[in-house]
Amino acid sequence: MMHNIFKGLGIALITPFNEDGSVDYASLRNLLDYQLKNGADFLCILATTGETPTLTADEKLEIKNLVVDKVAGRIPILMGCGGNNTAAVVEELKTGDFRGIDGVLSVCPYYNKPSQEGLYQHFKAIATATKLPVVLYNVPGRTGINMKAETTVRLATDCNNIVAIKEASGNLEQVDEIIKNKPRDFDVISGDDALTFPMISCGAVGVISVIGNALPKEFSKMIRLQMRGEYDGARKIHHRFTDLFSLLFIDGNPAGVKAMLSEMGMIKNILRLPLVPTRISTLQRMSEIMKELKI
């Protein structure tokens, strides 16, 4: 089985925008510098937090090339490639430009609600279409379908290049079942910042984080402490950010973390429709907590 290299703190990278709605490539470069200097172990680009459905094909290619050039092999890059049309995803994997990319993150098909067998056949086709490592992404709150633990384990067992799953079901019992029954070299990655501490305690190997865009040093410290078995220190960091975790997503993602980054002077607080910035009341509360935490 292929080895999973996506461990520790992964950043679900946002896409900064200018006032006119265009991609702010200068801020993106600065954000990448910030991640590389402050503990990010890998990047996850062109996925949900990057507002990828609103990007053009040309913008996605330019973002991908900018990230690859800037990172220059220093940390792995995971790139989103998924959808609810299996044939279209397979074609993209066969014909797309994946130079400099170390693996693909593929979300469960959304809207059309396939059966568990349909999910299995979908991801098996994706794994067959690429030589890159594949990280599954289970996020039923967005897709409308939950991939059950037995389906995940079946895929991990049958497909050599399916190396991990980003689990964002919020179901720790399901996470524990996957970890209990998975092949040795298959890993579980947290897809929920607020559940990263308990998931790593269960055996997850890291997180693909939203809050890490703003606080990579602090969040990576929590993960490193926990991986070393220093649970008390890790738990203190986890509890410091409990209030921020809830505020981050109350008005949708990535509205919360973009508001944080804007408060830190790193980007403009702009999203593309149908997403809009977080409410002023949420922003004010986040700002108060950030001041309390001396961020």
Side-chain angles (χ1 to χ4, degrees), residues 23 26 35 39 46 52 54 102 104-105 127 148 150 169 191 200 207 224 235 240-241 245 252 290:
V23 177
Q35 298 301 331
L46 298 176
T52 307
T54 71
D102 300 291
V104 294
L105 177 76
K148 294 181 179 179
E150 54 262 39
S169 64
I200 291 178
V207 61
R224 285 169 171 75
R235 188 181 297 107
R240 282 185 71 208
F241 298 128
F245 288 148
M290 289 167 70

Side-chain angles (χ1 to χ4, degrees), residues 40 48 69 79 88-89 96 109 166 174 193 197 199 205 235 253 276-277 284 288-289:
T48 309
D69 289 345
M79 187 166 83
V89 179
K166 177 184 177 183
Q174 177 165 291
D193 284 333
F197 180 84
M199 283 182 66
V205 299
R235 188 181 297 107
N253 182 45
V276 295
Q284 288 173 336
E288 290 168 3
I289 294 173

Side-chain angles (χ1 to χ4, degrees), residues 18-57:
N18 292 306
E19 297 284 356
D20 63 2
S22 62
V23 177
D24 183 352
Y25 294 105
S27 292
L28 180 57
R29 288 187 187 91
N30 292 336
L31 185 60
L32 288 167
D33 280 333
Y34 179 66
Q35 298 301 331
L36 292 166
K37 292 174 182 176
N38 286 284
D41 294 302
F42 67 96
L43 299 175
C44 181
I45 67 170
L46 298 176
T48 309
T49 305
E51 298 175 71
T52 307
T54 71
L55 299 172
T56 68

Side-chain angles (χ1 to χ4, degrees), residues 19-287:
E19 297 284 356
D20 63 2
S22 62
V23 177
D24 183 352
Y25 294 105
S27 292
L28 180 57
R29 288 187 187 91
N30 292 336
L31 185 60
L32 288 167
D33 280 333
Y34 179 66
Q35 298 301 331
L36 292 166
K37 292 174 182 176
N38 286 284
D41 294 302
F42 67 96
L43 299 175
C44 181
I45 67 170
L46 298 176
T48 309
T49 305
E51 298 175 71
T52 307
T54 71
L55 299 172
T56 68
D58 287 344
E59 287 171 334
K60 286 188 276 190
L61 182 59
E62 189 163 355
I63 289 169
K64 173 257 179 189
N65 287 336
L66 185 156
V67 173
V68 168
D69 289 345
K70 190 74 174 174
V71 170
R74 285 176 283 180
I75 58 175
I77 302 170
L78 185 66
M79 187 166 83
C81 183
N84 59 351
N85 178 343
T86 308
V89 179
V90 166
E91 181 65 16
E92 183 179 353
L93 286 167
K94 289 181 175 179
T95 63
D97 182 359
F98 290 87
R99 288 174 296 180
I101 299 301
D102 300 291
V104 294
L105 177 76
S106 200
V107 70
C108 282
Y110 39 82
Y111 185 70
N112 41 16
K113 289 190 173 182
S115 66
Q116 294 300 305
E117 182 63 25
L119 290 172
Y120 173 82
Q121 295 295 342
H122 171 81
F123 284 119
K124 186 176 180 181
I126 286 171
T128 302
T130 180
K131 293 181 180 180
L132 288 169
V134 176
V135 178
L136 310 173
Y137 182 15
N138 185 39
V139 56
R142 287 183 176 272
T143 64
I145 186 74
N146 176 52
M147 186 157 66
K148 294 181 179 179
E150 54 262 39
T151 305
T152 300
V153 172
R154 183 183 173 199
L155 284 162
T157 303
D158 293 351
C159 302
N160 181 62
N161 61 330
I162 293 181
V163 299
I165 183 168
K166 177 184 177 183
E167 249 293 341
S169 64
N171 184 339
L172 290 176
E173 185 177 351
Q174 177 165 291
V175 168
D176 197 48
E177 186 178 347
I178 295 169
I179 292 170
K180 176 184 175 183
N181 296 314
K182 70 179 182 64
R184 185 185 64 180
D185 291 331
F186 180 84
D187 288 325
V188 173
I189 302 167
S190 171
D192 186 333
D193 284 333
L195 293 181
T196 297
F197 180 84
M199 283 182 66
I200 291 178
S201 298
C202 288
V205 299
V207 61
I208 296 176
S209 172
V210 174
I211 200 171
N213 279 278
L215 305 174
K217 182 180 289 186
E218 293 84 351
F219 214 48
S220 66
K221 183 178 179 182
M222 183 194 83
I223 293 167
R224 285 169 171 75
L225 286 171
Q226 202 169 359
M227 292 294 192
R228 294 201 300 263
E230 298 179 35
Y231 288 97
D232 288 344
R235 188 181 297 107
K236 287 177 182 177
I237 297 173
H238 167 71
H239 285 151
R240 282 185 71 208
F241 298 128
T242 301
D243 291 338
L244 273 180
F245 288 148
S246 59
L247 288 169
L248 267 183
F249 301 101
I250 197 169
D251 294 323
N253 182 45
V257 74
K258 278 197 161 182
M260 281 186 70
L261 288 165
S262 177
E263 285 290 290
M264 295 166 68
M266 297 185 68
I267 66 166
K268 303 172 186 71
N269 192 16
I270 299 170
L271 294 88
R272 281 185 177 173
L273 290 171
L275 302 180
V276 295
T278 190
R279 292 170 293 177
I280 292 175
S281 58
T282 306
L283 179 59
Q284 288 173 336
R285 181 61 187 136
M286 288 175 67
S287 181

